[in-house]
Amino acid sequence: MQVHPQSGLSRFVMEVAVAVLTGAFGAAISIGSIEAGAGWTDMGPDAGYFPFYIGLLIIVGSLANLVFGFVRHRGSQEIFVETGRFKAVLGFFLPLLAFAAVSTFLGLYVGSALYIAGAMIFQGRYKWWTGLPVGIGVALFFFIIFEIGFKVPLLKGPVEAWLGIY
């Protein structure tokens, strides 16, 4: 009987990706802090003084993680996530990413209705005549709770404007 090696995303790739991502996050914090003023004035520290050094700390930690990843995991064949499981995670992550993109343009209520209906139909294998009313119902429920109950306006898009809900 042959043993097939596992296929998937390696631990080394994930170590490097996370280190680069957190390093970019730290760089963004530091650059933004410089724009806000990261120096010292007669009145004390500028607005960006503390965040600038936090960003530098994040960059240093990311560089340490990057070196650690190269030293410890470069030659290893350790699998972080198997291909089959990674596809299942992407099955929920990609629709969530689409929800964020759609909500930016169409508003949170339309985005949440589409996301919930889509998740029910495509992930939960519900019929469209079940998923669509539930998605719309949940969006209406959110609208009543946030807009009317708590009086907290959430991001709205062109559909709400077309309906006169602004």
Side-chain angles (χ1 to χ4, degrees):
M1 183 161 116
Q2 281 186 329
V3 177
H4 298 288
Q6 292 178 334
S7 65
L9 195 59
S10 72
R11 170 94 185 250
F12 171 70
V13 170
M14 283 305 297
E15 293 279 346
V16 170
V18 169
V20 168
L21 186 66
T22 56
F25 179 68
I29 290 172
S30 294
I31 291 168
S33 298
I34 290 171
E35 292 173 1
W40 197 268
T41 66
D42 294 337
M43 303 280 296
D46 273 340
Y49 183 81
F50 180 71
F52 174 75
Y53 287 104
I54 295 299
L56 286 182
L57 259 165
I58 292 171
I59 292 170
V60 168
S62 298
L63 288 173
N65 285 337
L66 186 64
V67 169
F68 181 75
F70 268 95
V71 169
R72 189 140 192 221
H73 300 290
R74 185 170 184 198
S76 75
Q77 300 297 322
E78 187 178 357
I79 299 294
F80 179 76
V81 63
E82 296 170 1
T83 304
R85 292 184 182 191
F86 188 62
K87 287 180 182 177
V89 169
L90 283 180
F92 280 95
F93 178 71
L94 293 178
L96 192 58
L97 194 64
F99 163 70
V102 167
S103 295
T104 302
F105 299 107
L106 297 179
L108 281 173
Y109 300 115
V110 173
S112 63
L114 291 174
Y115 176 74
I116 291 169
M120 286 183 69
I121 294 166
F122 297 113
Q123 295 291 333
R125 305 283 187 236
Y126 286 89
K127 303 292 182 195
W128 71 268
W129 57 82
T130 304
L132 195 58
V134 170
I136 292 169
V138 169
L140 285 172
F141 177 75
F142 287 164
F143 180 81
I144 291 168
I145 293 296
F146 288 109
E147 301 282 335
I148 297 171
F150 294 139
K151 303 213 184 303
V152 176
L154 297 180
L155 180 65
K156 294 178 196 66
V159 174
E160 290 89 352
W162 179 70
L163 293 172
I165 305 171
Y166 247 65

